[in-house]
């Protein structure tokens, strides 16, 4: 069975975006790029909320033709552009990035069906509202938290409104050159 893996850049105070959606606090390094590329190689499906889908589709679909793209971005773009994208949105009219499906809401049975299909894992990036909904129904198998050494003081919280207690177990912890700490936690 496929796993749903939520990978999120996170401030120390629990935000995935700063006030106004600011992402200028995100750090990167070669180790982090390698981790992201290896994670993407293990997936054939992504799930996004509308905002994350729109941000990532514009960026990654342009990388193959961007002469200023970093070396690691080209193979990553090839992988993410080829995945099946599921976009959870009530307002998005059409999804044109590769193979894409729009879900108007989270339906636990549809998610379970997606997980039981043959293939690789399912990745989620950002998309706080979708993470929150899937957490509430216990369908995220692993949380990959990329904790940045910054306090934002406000913004978009990753687990806002999650009122269900969920026991998790530590799978892996790693620190990167940039100061980012990766914590991988799985459902207990």
């Amino acid at each position: 069975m496929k796993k749903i893996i939520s990978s999120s850049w996170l401030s120390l105070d629990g935000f995935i975006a700063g006030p106004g959606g600011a992402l200028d606090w995100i750090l990167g390094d070669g180790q982090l790029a390698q981790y992201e590329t290896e994670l993407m190689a293990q997936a054939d499906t992504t799930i996004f909320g509308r905002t994350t889908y729109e941000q990532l589709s514009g960026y990654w679909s342009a990388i193959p033709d961007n002469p200023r793209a970093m070396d690691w971005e080209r193979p990553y773009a090839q992988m993410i552009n080829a995945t099946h994208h599921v976009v959870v949105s009530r307002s998005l009219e059409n999804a044109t990035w590769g193979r894409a499906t729009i879900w108007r809401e989270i339906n636990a049975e549809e998610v379970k069906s997606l997980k039981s299909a043959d293939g690789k894992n399912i990745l989620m990036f950002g998309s706080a509202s979708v993470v929150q909904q899937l957490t509430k129904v216990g369908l995220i198998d692993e949380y990959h938290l990329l904790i940045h050494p910054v306090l934002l003081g406000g913004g978009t919280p990753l687990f806002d409104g999650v009122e269900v207690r969920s026991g998790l177990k530590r799978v892996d912890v790693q620190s990167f050159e940039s100061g980012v700490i990766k914590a991988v936690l799985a459902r207990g």
Side-chain angles (χ1 to χ4, degrees):
M1 179 175 281
K2 295 180 175 190
K3 290 189 290 189
I4 294 182
I5 299 170
S6 170
S7 179
S8 300
W9 297 325
L10 192 67
S11 68
L12 186 58
D13 50 351
F15 298 101
I16 63 167
L23 297 174
D24 59 346
W25 53 275
I26 302 293
L27 300 172
D29 61 50
Q31 291 175 315
L32 192 52
Q34 180 179 350
Y35 154 75
E36 295 278 4
T37 302
E38 290 171 358
L39 185 63
M40 180 54 65
Q42 299 170 27
D44 61 10
T45 305
T46 55
I47 299 177
F48 302 112
R50 180 194 51 81
T51 301
T52 304
Y53 172 80
E54 290 176 343
Q55 290 170 338
L56 295 182
S57 66
Y59 186 82
W60 291 110
S61 62
I63 288 296
D65 297 323
N66 183 346
R68 289 178 271 168
M70 292 181 265
D71 290 341
W72 72 268
E73 288 181 306
R74 292 187 195 289
Y76 186 91
Q78 184 177 8
M79 288 184 284
I80 196 169
N81 289 338
T83 64
H84 172 224
H85 308 295
V86 175
V87 187
V88 182
S89 173
R90 287 184 169 86
S91 62
L92 188 67
E93 295 199 17
N94 43 26
T96 59
W97 182 24
R99 296 178 299 123
T101 304
I102 299 174
W103 287 354
R104 296 297 174 204
E105 61 186 22
I106 294 292
N107 176 303
E109 294 308 313
E110 280 184 304
V111 176
K112 289 175 186 175
S113 177
L114 189 63
K115 287 178 70 167
S116 68
D118 290 335
K120 297 180 179 180
N121 291 326
I122 302 162
L123 289 182
M124 298 176 52
F125 301 106
S127 306
S129 65
V130 179
V131 171
Q132 293 159 14
Q133 292 173 64
L134 290 174
T135 296
K136 287 178 183 179
V137 294
L139 291 173
I140 296 180
D141 300 290
E142 289 183 3
Y143 297 90
H144 291 215
L145 305 176
L146 301 169
I147 305 162
H148 285 59
V150 63
L151 297 169
L152 296 177
T156 306
L158 181 59
F159 295 111
D160 190 38
V162 175
E163 299 167 349
V164 177
R165 183 176 177 159
S166 298
L168 302 172
K169 63 180 179 182
R170 179 181 53 86
V171 174
D172 184 38
V173 175
Q174 178 183 0
S175 62
F176 296 112
E177 298 163 353
S178 59
V180 172
I181 298 169
K182 175 186 77 174
V184 177
L185 305 165
R187 285 188 328 168

